[in-house]
Amino acid sequence: FCTLNTPKVDMEKLLGGQIGLEDFIFAHTKGRRKDVQVLKSEEALGLTITDNGAGYAFIKRIREGSVIARIPLIGVGDMIEAIDGRSLVGARHFEVARLLQELPRGHTFALRLTEPRRAFDMIGPRSGGGRGGPPQVGSGRGTLRLRSRGPATVQEQPSAFEERAVAKVDDLLESYMGIRDSELAATMVELGRDARDPDALAEALDSQLGDFAFPDEFVFDVWGAIGDAKVGRC
């Protein structure tokens, strides 16, 4: 995988479908493969998952004190290669999240992970010396969005409404799925921002994310969260 503007294993900077016009790209290579047995002792595993849009899903964040946090062998930046022998190469992050959410409580499952090489972990940020101060990397407002179909486009950074809405929907996803997923939340906000009512939102979600089979009460809550964000309610 690649990260933007940092050589460290920072999943907040994972290169996916968007590249700032002034970004630097750092490539990370595969390290050791790990096979881990995980007991799903709680409904929520404490994982946030992301992907790079090229068929690889990664562990983005591990919640402190969670089921996964108690397994030292699992770390942020690990690529999720398979669950119970089922290959996940080619899967999107929300597909992986759904599979984990559907595993019954009390079930022990096998995770096959590949960790990135840690060659850059000891590298710290450069000091602020030098003429003109540190470079302002990624300071432009334009963002290059890469698409699997159609040409790349330059878009503005997320608006205040989008940031509020994504945060609210992400909270609802954690309540419903037990796994936070800001990218899935952003997709849902994009689908629902122009929906005229909950039924229209449900149709939009079914057309793009039908595999989740979101219940009516969850869709209604998402509709309300997006509406609150539009009017600036926290």
Side-chain angles (χ1 to χ4, degrees):
F1 63 88
C2 294
T3 51
L4 297 177
N5 307 322
T6 177
K8 294 188 176 183
V9 178
D10 184 351
M11 293 292 100
E12 297 292 340
K13 301 297 179 67
L14 180 69
L15 173 62
Q18 297 186 2
I19 305 174
L21 300 180
E22 299 178 13
D23 284 333
F24 288 92
I25 300 174
F26 294 85
H28 300 257
T29 58
K30 290 182 178 180
R32 62 172 174 159
R33 177 175 284 172
K34 304 179 289 190
D35 290 297
V36 186
Q37 297 292 316
V38 181
L39 170 63
K40 189 177 181 182
S41 56
E42 303 173 16
E43 288 297 331
L45 290 170
L47 278 178
T48 301
I49 300 171
T50 187
D51 68 66
N52 62 357
Y56 295 97
F58 302 90
I59 296 175
K60 181 177 182 179
R61 191 178 299 114
I62 299 174
R63 191 175 71 245
E64 185 177 354
S66 65
V67 172
I68 296 299
R70 296 194 288 269
I71 305 176
L73 198 58
I74 300 176
V76 170
D78 288 351
M79 187 263 283
I80 303 175
E81 188 173 331
I83 297 176
D84 281 340
R86 174 178 174 176
S87 175
L88 297 174
V89 176
R92 294 302 309 275
H93 61 281
F94 50 79
E95 296 175 295
V96 178
R98 177 168 50 83
L99 287 173
L100 291 171
Q101 186 268 335
E102 290 175 348
L103 292 172
R105 185 171 181 173
H107 175 69
T108 297
F109 62 97
L111 265 183
R112 169 159 284 190
L113 307 167
T114 299
E115 68 178 25
R117 293 190 186 277
R118 302 287 173 170
F120 290 110
D121 277 4
M122 301 305 294
I123 296 179
R126 287 190 294 179
S127 64
R131 186 170 54 192
Q136 300 299 312
V137 178
S139 59
R141 295 188 64 212
T143 298
L144 181 65
R145 182 163 186 176
L146 306 179
R147 302 177 183 276
S148 57
R149 299 178 183 176
T153 57
V154 176
Q155 295 184 340
E156 293 296 313
Q157 295 293 340
S159 65
F161 149 69
E162 290 169 326
E163 292 179 349
R164 288 193 301 268
V166 168
K168 285 175 172 289
V169 175
D170 202 15
D171 289 341
L172 291 172
L173 282 171
E174 183 174 34
S175 299
Y176 173 68
M177 299 179 62
I179 299 176
R180 297 186 69 85
D181 190 333
S182 58
E183 294 183 42
L184 176 57
T187 299
M188 297 175 71
V189 170
E190 184 176 347
L191 291 171
R193 63 182 303 160
D194 296 323
R196 62 188 180 277
D197 53 41
D199 289 339
L201 173 60
E203 291 179 6
L205 294 177
D206 286 343
S207 68
Q208 299 293 324
L209 303 170
D211 288 343
F212 283 99
F214 294 124
D216 291 343
E217 60 270 22
F218 175 75
V219 174
F220 188 82
D221 286 344
V222 170
W223 165 257
I226 294 174
D228 287 346
K230 284 181 178 178
V231 297
R233 285 197 291 265
C234 297

